[in-house]
PDB file of all heavy atoms in Angstrom:
ATOM      1  N   ASP A  15     101.789  91.306  90.347  1.00  0.00           N
ATOM      2  CA  ASP A  15     102.344  90.494  91.496  1.00  0.00           C
ATOM      3  C   ASP A  15     102.257  91.189  92.814  1.00  0.00           C
ATOM      4  O   ASP A  15     101.965  90.656  93.840  1.00  0.00           O
ATOM      5  CB  ASP A  15     103.820  90.161  91.183  1.00  0.00           C
ATOM      6  CG  ASP A  15     103.981  89.123  90.078  1.00  0.00           C
ATOM      7  OD1 ASP A  15     102.967  88.432  89.754  1.00  0.00           O
ATOM      8  OD2 ASP A  15     105.078  88.939  89.554  1.00  0.00           O
ATOM      9  N   VAL A  16     102.374  92.594  92.817  1.00  0.00           N
ATOM     10  CA  VAL A  16     102.094  93.369  94.020  1.00  0.00           C
ATOM     11  C   VAL A  16     100.661  93.098  94.520  1.00  0.00           C
ATOM     12  O   VAL A  16     100.484  92.910  95.655  1.00  0.00           O
ATOM     13  CB  VAL A  16     102.434  94.844  93.787  1.00  0.00           C
ATOM     14  CG1 VAL A  16     101.972  95.614  95.008  1.00  0.00           C
ATOM     15  CG2 VAL A  16     103.914  95.052  93.406  1.00  0.00           C
ATOM     16  N   GLU A  21      96.761  90.627  98.267  1.00  0.00           N
ATOM     17  CA  GLU A  21      95.515  89.802  98.347  1.00  0.00           C
ATOM     18  C   GLU A  21      95.890  88.546  99.255  1.00  0.00           C
ATOM     19  O   GLU A  21      95.068  88.214 100.109  1.00  0.00           O
ATOM     20  CB  GLU A  21      94.976  89.395  97.049  1.00  0.00           C
ATOM     21  CG  GLU A  21      94.388  90.478  96.336  1.00  0.00           C
ATOM     22  CD  GLU A  21      93.940  90.172  94.941  1.00  0.00           C
ATOM     23  OE1 GLU A  21      94.039  88.941  94.531  1.00  0.00           O
ATOM     24  OE2 GLU A  21      93.412  91.044  94.202  1.00  0.00           O
ATOM     25  N   VAL A  34     106.327  98.893  99.118  1.00  0.00           N
ATOM     26  CA  VAL A  34     106.738  98.366  97.809  1.00  0.00           C
ATOM     27  C   VAL A  34     107.808  99.209  97.263  1.00  0.00           C
ATOM     28  O   VAL A  34     107.689 100.440  97.190  1.00  0.00           O
ATOM     29  CB  VAL A  34     105.533  98.293  96.860  1.00  0.00           C
ATOM     30  CG1 VAL A  34     105.990  97.744  95.579  1.00  0.00           C
ATOM     31  CG2 VAL A  34     104.449  97.434  97.482  1.00  0.00           C
ATOM     32  N   ALA A  35     108.816  98.553  96.877  1.00  0.00           N
ATOM     33  CA  ALA A  35     109.985  99.199  96.127  1.00  0.00           C
ATOM     34  C   ALA A  35     109.868  98.540  94.661  1.00  0.00           C
ATOM     35  O   ALA A  35     109.729  97.303  94.488  1.00  0.00           O
ATOM     36  CB  ALA A  35     111.340  98.922  96.691  1.00  0.00           C
ATOM     37  N   VAL A  39     117.397  99.484  92.958  1.00  0.00           N
ATOM     38  CA  VAL A  39     117.954 100.779  93.462  1.00  0.00           C
ATOM     39  C   VAL A  39     116.961 101.383  94.454  1.00  0.00           C
ATOM     40  O   VAL A  39     117.377 101.913  95.491  1.00  0.00           O
ATOM     41  CB  VAL A  39     118.103 101.684  92.186  1.00  0.00           C
ATOM     42  CG1 VAL A  39     118.522 103.136  92.623  1.00  0.00           C
ATOM     43  CG2 VAL A  39     119.188 101.147  91.257  1.00  0.00           C
ATOM     44  N   ALA A  41     114.911  99.767  96.260  1.00  0.00           N
ATOM     45  CA  ALA A  41     114.933  98.935  97.569  1.00  0.00           C
ATOM     46  C   ALA A  41     116.060  99.360  98.421  1.00  0.00           C
ATOM     47  O   ALA A  41     115.990  99.403  99.629  1.00  0.00           O
ATOM     48  CB  ALA A  41     114.989  97.427  97.098  1.00  0.00           C
ATOM     49  N   LEU A  42     117.231  99.513  97.784  1.00  0.00           N
ATOM     50  CA  LEU A  42     118.481  99.918  98.582  1.00  0.00           C
ATOM     51  C   LEU A  42     118.307 101.290  99.200  1.00  0.00           C
ATOM     52  O   LEU A  42     118.665 101.470 100.314  1.00  0.00           O
ATOM     53  CB  LEU A  42     119.682  99.715  97.745  1.00  0.00           C
ATOM     54  CG  LEU A  42     120.028  98.275  97.528  1.00  0.00           C
ATOM     55  CD1 LEU A  42     121.136  98.172  96.480  1.00  0.00           C
ATOM     56  CD2 LEU A  42     120.412  97.503  98.820  1.00  0.00           C
ATOM     57  N   ARG A  47     117.516 104.231 104.012  1.00  0.00           N
ATOM     58  CA  ARG A  47     116.671 105.353 104.468  1.00  0.00           C
ATOM     59  C   ARG A  47     117.190 106.689 103.828  1.00  0.00           C
ATOM     60  O   ARG A  47     117.455 107.645 104.521  1.00  0.00           O
ATOM     61  CB  ARG A  47     116.707 105.439 105.988  1.00  0.00           C
ATOM     62  CG  ARG A  47     116.134 104.250 106.629  1.00  0.00           C
ATOM     63  CD  ARG A  47     116.250 104.057 108.015  1.00  0.00           C
ATOM     64  NE  ARG A  47     114.982 104.629 108.534  1.00  0.00           N
ATOM     65  CZ  ARG A  47     114.814 104.982 109.802  1.00  0.00           C
ATOM     66  NH1 ARG A  47     115.780 104.681 110.689  1.00  0.00           N
ATOM     67  NH2 ARG A  47     113.654 105.493 110.223  1.00  0.00           N
ATOM     68  N   GLY A  49     116.866 109.798 100.831  1.00  0.00           N
ATOM     69  CA  GLY A  49     115.953 110.648 100.026  1.00  0.00           C
ATOM     70  C   GLY A  49     114.471 110.559 100.519  1.00  0.00           C
ATOM     71  O   GLY A  49     114.262 110.720 101.729  1.00  0.00           O
ATOM     72  N   GLN A  50     113.618 110.128  99.673  1.00  0.00           N
ATOM     73  CA  GLN A  50     112.162 110.085 100.049  1.00  0.00           C
ATOM     74  C   GLN A  50     111.941 109.025 101.092  1.00  0.00           C
ATOM     75  O   GLN A  50     110.791 108.937 101.665  1.00  0.00           O
ATOM     76  CB  GLN A  50     111.339 109.875  98.781  1.00  0.00           C
ATOM     77  CG  GLN A  50     111.517 108.402  98.222  1.00  0.00           C
ATOM     78  CD  GLN A  50     110.718 108.190  96.946  1.00  0.00           C
ATOM     79  OE1 GLN A  50     110.103 109.148  96.343  1.00  0.00           O
ATOM     80  NE2 GLN A  50     110.659 106.976  96.476  1.00  0.00           N
ATOM     81  N   GLU A  53     112.398 108.485 106.399  1.00  0.00           N
ATOM     82  CA  GLU A  53     111.551 108.066 107.498  1.00  0.00           C
ATOM     83  C   GLU A  53     111.069 106.646 107.396  1.00  0.00           C
ATOM     84  O   GLU A  53     110.142 106.241 108.125  1.00  0.00           O
ATOM     85  CB  GLU A  53     110.381 109.063 107.684  1.00  0.00           C
ATOM     86  CG  GLU A  53     110.813 110.445 107.935  1.00  0.00           C
ATOM     87  CD  GLU A  53     111.619 110.663 109.115  1.00  0.00           C
ATOM     88  OE1 GLU A  53     111.319 110.073 110.173  1.00  0.00           O
ATOM     89  OE2 GLU A  53     112.602 111.524 109.006  1.00  0.00           O
ATOM     90  N   PRO A  57     112.212  96.968 107.721  1.00  0.00           N
ATOM     91  CA  PRO A  57     111.384  95.836 107.584  1.00  0.00           C
ATOM     92  C   PRO A  57     111.779  94.672 108.437  1.00  0.00           C
ATOM     93  O   PRO A  57     112.968  94.439 108.683  1.00  0.00           O
ATOM     94  CB  PRO A  57     111.458  95.533 106.042  1.00  0.00           C
ATOM     95  CG  PRO A  57     112.847  96.047 105.731  1.00  0.00           C
ATOM     96  CD  PRO A  57     113.056  97.261 106.589  1.00  0.00           C
ATOM     97  N   LEU A  61     110.560  90.523 100.855  1.00  0.00           N
ATOM     98  CA  LEU A  61     110.199  89.642  99.725  1.00  0.00           C
ATOM     99  C   LEU A  61     110.834  90.274  98.514  1.00  0.00           C
ATOM    100  O   LEU A  61     110.385  91.345  98.066  1.00  0.00           O
ATOM    101  CB  LEU A  61     108.691  89.582  99.595  1.00  0.00           C
ATOM    102  CG  LEU A  61     107.938  89.125 100.864  1.00  0.00           C
ATOM    103  CD1 LEU A  61     106.400  89.203 100.611  1.00  0.00           C
ATOM    104  CD2 LEU A  61     108.334  87.703 101.257  1.00  0.00           C
ATOM    105  N   PRO A  67     114.472  95.531  87.241  1.00  0.00           N
ATOM    106  CA  PRO A  67     115.267  96.452  86.448  1.00  0.00           C
ATOM    107  C   PRO A  67     116.284  97.271  87.317  1.00  0.00           C
ATOM    108  O   PRO A  67     116.185  97.192  88.532  1.00  0.00           O
ATOM    109  CB  PRO A  67     114.142  97.451  85.975  1.00  0.00           C
ATOM    110  CG  PRO A  67     113.047  97.303  86.952  1.00  0.00           C
ATOM    111  CD  PRO A  67     113.160  95.911  87.479  1.00  0.00           C
ATOM    112  N   ARG A  72     119.661  89.721  92.871  1.00  0.00           N
ATOM    113  CA  ARG A  72     120.876  89.080  93.327  1.00  0.00           C
ATOM    114  C   ARG A  72     121.948  90.197  93.790  1.00  0.00           C
ATOM    115  O   ARG A  72     122.562  89.953  94.774  1.00  0.00           O
ATOM    116  CB  ARG A  72     121.443  88.237  92.209  1.00  0.00           C
ATOM    117  CG  ARG A  72     120.704  86.954  91.932  1.00  0.00           C
ATOM    118  CD  ARG A  72     121.117  86.328  90.602  1.00  0.00           C
ATOM    119  NE  ARG A  72     120.156  85.379  90.213  1.00  0.00           N
ATOM    120  CZ  ARG A  72     119.021  85.693  89.520  1.00  0.00           C
ATOM    121  NH1 ARG A  72     118.705  86.849  89.219  1.00  0.00           N
ATOM    122  NH2 ARG A  72     118.222  84.708  89.107  1.00  0.00           N
ATOM    123  N   LYS A  79     123.857  91.577 102.270  1.00  0.00           N
ATOM    124  CA  LYS A  79     124.726  90.651 102.997  1.00  0.00           C
ATOM    125  C   LYS A  79     126.021  91.335 103.417  1.00  0.00           C
ATOM    126  O   LYS A  79     126.650  90.869 104.434  1.00  0.00           O
ATOM    127  CB  LYS A  79     124.948  89.422 102.225  1.00  0.00           C
ATOM    128  CG  LYS A  79     123.752  88.564 102.086  1.00  0.00           C
ATOM    129  CD  LYS A  79     123.876  87.442 101.129  1.00  0.00           C
ATOM    130  CE  LYS A  79     124.403  86.276 101.810  1.00  0.00           C
ATOM    131  NZ  LYS A  79     124.501  85.057 100.967  1.00  0.00           N
ATOM    132  N   ASP A  81     126.566  94.585 104.098  1.00  0.00           N
ATOM    133  CA  ASP A  81     126.350  95.816 104.899  1.00  0.00           C
ATOM    134  C   ASP A  81     126.031  95.401 106.386  1.00  0.00           C
ATOM    135  O   ASP A  81     124.902  94.883 106.641  1.00  0.00           O
ATOM    136  CB  ASP A  81     125.193  96.637 104.292  1.00  0.00           C
ATOM    137  CG  ASP A  81     125.063  97.991 104.909  1.00  0.00           C
ATOM    138  OD1 ASP A  81     125.201  98.119 106.131  1.00  0.00           O
ATOM    139  OD2 ASP A  81     124.737  98.929 104.188  1.00  0.00           O
TER     140      ASP A  81
END
Side-chain angles (χ1 to χ4, degrees):
D15 288 343
V16 171
E21 290 174 3
V34 178
V39 172
L42 289 169
R47 302 174 90 188
Q50 68 181 9
E53 302 297 319
L61 301 175
R72 291 166 194 83
K79 290 172 88 173
D81 187 323

